[in-house]
């Protein structure tokens, strides 16, 4: 039997944000053991080169130092030894995102990708992980929250944990600190949420709502055979948002006041955002963590792993995250349609949807979607947002053309059976072929246009067949995310063709849309708006003054570009109707009503 690799991690110097990681290998490669840190973390498709945070690397064997040579940006090689070998790393941890590692006097958080090197050639070997507390008084009340299986550790305690192999080791984020923990069961499986931050949350309600979401998703795809536990890690600072999926847990960030206080009733917009986030990460435990593209089976963490399927794994997940909220009754259908209207608005406001398909966006995620520049709105389409609208169109089309016999639910069930429980990677053409197979429809042209085309999706027609009216209008300004009709009807006739943002008191051109008035006038992204026709303006003032212009009017726009003051001549143009809202159609016939109920739930 192979001896497990023995990892030990301790907060070496919390004030200096330094972890010490010791990795002991029983049978190192006699030619000189190679160790490798991942270049990226699964779920976040960007090269991050985690080894760059290693500030010290050394090795020892039998009480003696062993030479360590750096081979490239991510790998080290120890000198040959036939004895047990220990690699010792000091790692700087000051990235408080769900993808990083963070340590200070208040807590520790880490992903295995940031702190645990792989033993090259022995990635299948089981791993023991000893979580050690910091020295001294720091951390006296700290608890450990992770979905990693315990060996000798008490529940939520320091001590030894185990992982079946390296892939599992780095699939368990760990939060250590003063935690608020809630526990519940979903589908008979123990679940927990561990919250960092002073939230004063209504924990009973939170657990109830999480259980509702988890069971909704379980009812669609069934409980995976190896899902015997699940943990939501939640960091709740003053502001922030994000999540990262894992097989038995997820790491999430939301603003603390988005969570419900005791006595709160109803679902606020902020709480709805939080519920959508955890619903999204939970759905991933099927879609991308167990069922994945062939390109991720297994992950090559040394370099980019290219797939055109992220629209399936992120887009379909983004479709089901909010759909689960309405189907389970946590939100009403009006609230759901508002969310859909906002997603449609997001896609319509980016000219990039006419340049890039979701298949291309998936493939180039590494250098485009994850590394957006000022031109992103003109050049990139989100495989999340448009991917979710493709999922919606596909679902409605299947339902309508098969007279309710087949829906996207059936395609996902079949996909899970084929590539989920079997752990066989989904081939690049697998999902689209399956849609045809399961429905018996000739749906290839529709998918070709939706997935590899840059035209508009037939949303208006498809929503109509499900009793939902599709409306477009002009935007009321920077705060208008769509999803609702314009209450006062006071819409501007014209637009600048640019998105302004308030940046530390300055009004800055964030996005300059291609072929819009601002671009024609010579305004560049990053320009600071100072005056409009000689009058000083801020963001709100610009929006108020915009209502005084008509198409064809001309204005002098004064901006700072760097430290140079420039005045440019702008000709106002009619504002586009790029803001969508949806409404339940009234007086629809029984067929349509039945279709709508089957889609959204009762
Ligand atoms: Zn996701």
């Amino acid at each position: 039997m192979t001896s497990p690799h023995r990892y030990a991690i301790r907060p070496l110097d919390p004030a200096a944000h330094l972890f010490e990681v010791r990795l002991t290998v029983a049978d190192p490669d006699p030619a000189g053991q190679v160790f490798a840190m991942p270049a990226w973390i699964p779920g976040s498709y960007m090269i991050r080169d985690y080894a760059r945070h290693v500030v010290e690397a050394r090795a020892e064997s039998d009480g003696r130092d062993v030479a360590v040579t750096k081979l490239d940006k991510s790998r080290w090689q120890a000198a040959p030894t036939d004895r047990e070998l220990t690699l010792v790393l000091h790692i700087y941890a000051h990235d408080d995102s769900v993808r990083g590692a963070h340590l200070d006097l208040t807590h520790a958080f880490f992903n295995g990708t940031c702190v645990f090197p792989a033993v090259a050639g022995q990635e299948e070997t089981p791993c023991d992980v000893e979580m050690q507390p910091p020295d001294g008084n720091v951390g006296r009340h700290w608890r450990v929250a992770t979905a990693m299986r315990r060996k000798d550790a008490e529940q939520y305690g320091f001590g030894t944990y185990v992982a079946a192999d390296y892939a599992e080791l780095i699939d368990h984020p760990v939060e250590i600190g003063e935690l608020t923990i809630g526990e519940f069961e979903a589908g008979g499986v123990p679940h927990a949420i561990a919250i960092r931050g002073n939230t004063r949350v209504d924990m009973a309600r939170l657990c109830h709502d999480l259980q509702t979401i988890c069971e909704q998703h379980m009812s669609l795809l069934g409980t995976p055979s190896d899902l015997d536990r699940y943990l939501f890690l939640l960091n709740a600072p003053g502001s922030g948002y994000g999540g990262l999926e894992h097989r038995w847990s997820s790491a999430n960030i939301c603003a603390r006041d988005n969570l419900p206080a005791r006595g709160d009733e109803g679902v606020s917009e902020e709480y709805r955002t939080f519920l959508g986030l955890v619903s999204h990460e939970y759905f991933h435990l099927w879609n991308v963590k167990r069922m994945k593209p062939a390109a991720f089976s297994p992950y090559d963490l040394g370099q980019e792993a290219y797939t055109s399927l992220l629209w399936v794994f992120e887009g379909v997940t983004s479709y089901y995250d909010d759909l689960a909220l309405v189907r389970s009754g946590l939100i009403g259908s009006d609230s759901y349609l508002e969310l859909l209207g906002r997603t449609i608005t997001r896609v319509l406001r980016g000219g990039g949807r006419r340049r890039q398909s979701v298949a291309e966006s998936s493939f180039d995620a590494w250098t485009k979607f994850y590394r957006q520049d000022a031109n992103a709105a003109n050049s990139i389409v989100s495989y999340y947002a448009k991917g979710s609208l493709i999922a919606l169109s596909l679902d409605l089309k299947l339902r309508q053309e098969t007279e309710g016999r087949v829906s996207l639910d059936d395609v996902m069930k079949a996909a899970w059976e084929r590539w989920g429980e079997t752990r066989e990677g989904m081939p690049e053409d697998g999902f689209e072929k399956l849609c045809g197979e399961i429905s018996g429809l000739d749906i290839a042209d529709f998918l070709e246009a939706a997935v590899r085309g840059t035209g508009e999706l037939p949303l208006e027609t498809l929503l109509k067949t499900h009793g939902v009216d599709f409306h477009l209008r002009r935007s009321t300004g920077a705060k208008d995310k769509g999803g609702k009709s314009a209450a006062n009807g006071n819409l501007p006739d014209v637009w600048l063709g640019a998105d302004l943002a308030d940046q530390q008191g300055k009004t800055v051109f964030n996005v300059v849309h291609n072929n819009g008035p601002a671009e024609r006038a010579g305004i560049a992204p990053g320009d600071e708006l100072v005056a409009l026709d000689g009058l000083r303006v801020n963001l709100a003032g610009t929006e108020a003054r915009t209502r005084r212009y008509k198409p064809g009017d001309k204005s002098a726009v004064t901006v700072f570009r760097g430290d140079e003051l420039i005045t440019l001549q702008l000709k106002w143009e009619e504002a586009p109707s790029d803001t969508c809202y949806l409404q339940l159609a009234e007086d629809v016939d029984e067929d349509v009503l039945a279709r709508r109920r089957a889609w959204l739930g009762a």
Side-chain angles (χ1 to χ4, degrees):
M1 189 188 142
T2 348
S3 318
H5 298 321
R6 301 199 309 279
Y7 291 84
I9 180 164
R10 75 179 174 110
L12 177 68
D13 187 347
H17 319 293
L18 281 182
F19 280 111
E20 181 190 74
V21 173
R22 300 174 68 86
L23 163 54
T24 302
V25 182
D27 297 303
D29 181 345
Q33 182 61 52
V34 173
F35 299 94
M37 290 292 287
W40 59 283
I41 182 167
S44 186
Y45 307 107
M46 188 168 124
I47 296 298
R48 295 180 193 276
D49 292 328
Y50 288 112
R52 70 200 173 94
H53 301 300
V54 172
V55 295
E56 200 178 311
R58 61 186 179 81
E60 57 196 38
S61 181
D62 236 3
R64 256 175 284 182
D65 286 348
V66 172
V68 173
T69 311
K70 195 88 192 273
L71 296 180
D72 56 32
K73 64 177 183 173
S74 299
R75 298 185 305 148
W76 298 261
Q77 185 167 30
T81 171
D82 51 7
R83 304 285 182 81
E84 194 172 87
L85 172 70
T86 299
L87 177 73
V88 183
L89 301 179
H90 290 181
I91 299 170
Y92 179 71
H94 202 234
D95 170 3
D96 211 359
S97 78
V98 295
R99 308 168 291 266
H102 191 255
L103 172 65
D104 64 16
L105 291 165
T106 68
H107 88 125
F109 170 81
F110 59 86
N111 283 286
T113 47
C114 306
V115 293
F116 296 140
V119 181
Q122 300 188 30
E123 290 87 350
E124 310 297 319
T125 303
C127 306
D128 281 5
V129 184
E130 196 186 337
M131 315 267 188
Q132 300 171 339
D135 290 339
N137 266 341
V138 176
R140 264 183 314 161
H141 304 290
W142 287 8
R143 290 195 284 174
V144 178
T146 178
M148 212 182 302
R149 207 178 286 286
R150 289 180 286 128
K151 189 172 181 182
D152 65 14
E154 301 272 316
Q155 193 173 20
Y156 305 120
F158 290 98
T160 307
Y161 290 74
V162 290
D165 52 26
Y166 183 73
E168 190 195 317
L169 174 69
I170 59 167
D171 200 20
H172 292 296
V174 180
E175 172 68 44
I176 303 174
E178 292 184 25
L179 307 172
T180 311
I181 295 172
E183 294 177 332
F184 60 97
E185 276 201 356
V189 176
H191 285 57
I193 178 164
I195 309 176
R196 165 193 164 207
N198 178 11
T199 59
R200 302 195 66 79
V201 64
D202 181 345
M203 187 60 94
R205 175 172 179 198
L206 189 60
C207 287
H208 167 271
D209 293 350
L210 287 172
Q211 179 192 7
T212 304
I213 292 169
C214 297
E215 290 184 345
Q216 177 65 39
H217 288 315
M218 286 169 156
S219 73
L220 180 68
L221 294 177
T223 309
S225 54
D226 62 348
L227 188 78
D228 55 353
R229 64 203 188 277
Y230 190 88
L231 172 68
F232 293 97
L233 292 178
L234 177 61
N235 176 11
S239 63
Y241 177 81
L244 192 63
E245 66 276 10
H246 300 280
R247 272 178 289 175
W248 293 275
S249 61
S250 53
N252 302 276
I253 296 180
C254 85
R256 71 171 67 88
D257 289 338
N258 289 6
L259 300 170
R262 285 166 296 177
D264 280 1
E265 279 172 32
V267 175
S268 67
E269 187 177 325
E270 293 76 21
Y271 186 44
R272 184 178 67 182
T273 303
F274 166 78
L275 293 176
L277 169 70
V278 288
S279 177
H280 181 96
E281 303 310 338
Y282 195 79
F283 193 76
H284 271 317
L285 77 83
W286 289 271
N287 199 31
V288 95
K289 289 312 301 187
R290 287 179 174 80
M291 174 166 78
K292 354 176 192 194
F296 294 173
S297 310
Y299 295 113
D300 177 355
L301 297 175
Q303 58 189 340
E304 295 87 345
Y306 294 100
T307 174
S308 57
L309 285 175
L310 292 182
W311 75 271
V312 174
F313 292 95
E314 289 300 349
V316 171
T317 301
S318 297
Y319 175 55
Y320 278 103
D321 59 20
D322 290 338
L323 188 61
L325 303 185
V326 65
R327 283 183 170 174
S328 66
L330 281 174
I331 64 172
S333 37
D334 286 338
S335 181
Y336 176 66
L337 293 183
E338 183 188 343
L339 290 169
L340 267 189
R342 286 185 174 191
T343 305
I344 296 168
T345 302
R346 265 208 321 279
V347 173
L348 287 179
R349 286 186 184 167
R353 76 185 189 286
R354 297 195 205 95
R355 283 224 170 106
Q356 193 190 42
S357 70
V358 292
E360 291 167 332
S361 180
S362 300
F363 197 84
D364 278 334
W366 303 87
T367 50
K368 295 198 171 189
F369 188 78
Y370 268 91
R371 294 173 68 177
Q372 300 192 12
D373 60 18
N375 196 43
N378 294 313
S379 59
I380 293 176
V381 70
S382 163
Y383 51 79
Y384 286 83
K386 190 178 172 189
S388 77
L389 298 182
I390 294 174
L392 166 68
S393 315
L394 179 60
D395 193 13
L396 300 185
K397 189 176 172 69
L398 292 172
R399 286 170 186 278
Q400 196 221 339
E401 293 190 8
T402 64
E403 290 170 351
R405 190 176 48 81
V406 175
S407 71
L408 186 60
D409 297 354
D410 301 293
V411 175
M412 291 308 289
K413 282 176 194 164
W416 172 249
E417 215 169 276
R418 188 167 301 181
W419 301 296
E421 281 295 358
T422 65
R423 304 289 190 273
E424 277 175 36
M426 181 190 285
E428 291 289 294
D429 60 353
F431 189 81
E432 288 172 57
K433 279 190 177 158
L434 187 68
C435 290
E437 227 175 273
I438 296 302
S439 65
L441 299 175
D442 185 1
I443 203 160
D445 289 350
F446 168 81
L447 286 168
E448 177 66 29
V451 175
R452 279 170 296 280
T454 54
E456 307 294 350
L457 298 167
L459 286 167
E460 183 168 2
T461 320
L462 287 166
L463 285 163
K464 184 117 212 135
T465 61
H466 287 73
V468 173
D469 291 333
F470 178 102
H471 306 276
L472 291 176
R473 61 170 174 82
R474 298 191 294 277
S475 168
T476 60
K479 286 192 182 137
D480 183 359
K481 297 180 200 157
K484 286 180 173 161
S485 61
N488 56 13
N490 183 17
L491 296 166
D493 292 328
V494 295
W495 78 322
L496 282 168
D499 300 350
L500 289 165
D502 189 50
Q503 286 178 9
Q504 284 142 5
K506 293 179 176 176
T507 306
V508 175
F509 285 93
N510 233 3
V511 175
V512 176
H513 294 285
N514 282 162
N515 306 312
E519 189 184 73
R520 281 189 237 284
I523 292 165
D527 285 355
E528 178 195 349
L529 176 62
V530 179
L532 188 56
D533 284 328
L535 299 175
R536 182 164 62 193
V537 282
N538 58 14
L539 180 56
T542 307
E543 287 176 0
R545 294 214 63 83
T546 296
R547 290 185 165 74
R548 299 182 169 266
Y549 294 93
K550 297 289 170 201
D553 287 354
K554 288 178 186 158
S555 283
V557 179
T558 306
V559 302
F560 267 117
R561 181 169 302 160
D563 63 355
E564 291 176 49
L565 191 68
I566 308 173
T567 297
L568 298 156
Q569 301 305 316
L570 176 136
K571 189 171 167 192
W572 294 92
E573 292 174 22
E574 193 182 332
S577 289
D578 59 5
T579 304
C580 173
Y581 64 99
L582 307 174
Q583 288 176 322
L584 292 176
E586 283 165 18
D587 303 324
V588 291
D589 62 37
E590 264 315 308
D591 284 9
V592 174
L593 204 58
R595 232 179 265 145
R596 189 164 80 197
R597 287 205 187 108
W599 167 42
L600 296 179

